[in-house]
Amino acid sequence: MLWIYTQDKQRLIKVNEVTVKGKKIVGVVRNSTYEENIDLGKYESNERASEILHKIFLEIKECSSAVSVEFAMPEK
């Protein structure tokens, strides 16, 4: 289970998937009846967004034995 605290600090979201779309990082939330894409953060470049995605990956890897992983999106 992956919990993301959004960049604007307005939402804490359990996501199924995280992806980079241009300068944005988008979380996919899905269950048996719907799927929704939610903007988690927007950065100055695609490269910076990819760096943040890599940090999320490292956090998941580090906490692989945990029941859930929490990550707060950086402001910049």
Side-chain angles (χ1 to χ4, degrees):
M1 184 179 328
L2 176 60
W3 289 92
I4 301 284
Y5 191 37
T6 58
Q7 184 182 36
D8 65 6
K9 309 297 187 236
Q10 299 298 306
R11 297 176 82 178
L12 180 64
I13 303 167
K14 181 173 72 170
V15 297
N16 299 92
E17 181 180 329
V18 179
T19 187
V20 172
K21 291 188 178 181
K23 296 179 181 183
K24 293 182 180 180
I25 297 180
V26 176
V28 178
V29 177
R30 70 171 70 96
N31 66 28
S32 61
T33 59
Y34 77 94
E35 179 173 303
E36 181 180 2
N37 293 330
I38 299 171
D39 290 345
L40 303 173
K42 184 176 180 182
Y43 298 94
E44 68 272 4
S45 67
N46 175 268
E47 291 79 18
R48 178 61 179 149
S50 294
E51 287 174 8
I52 301 301
L53 182 62
H54 185 72
K55 286 182 180 189
I56 294 170
F57 165 74
L58 293 176
E59 187 69 24
I60 292 168
K61 185 177 175 182
E62 183 177 311
C63 300
S64 63
S65 63
V67 173
S68 69
V69 176
E70 300 82 24
F71 186 85
M73 300 299 287
E75 290 192 29
K76 295 183 179 191

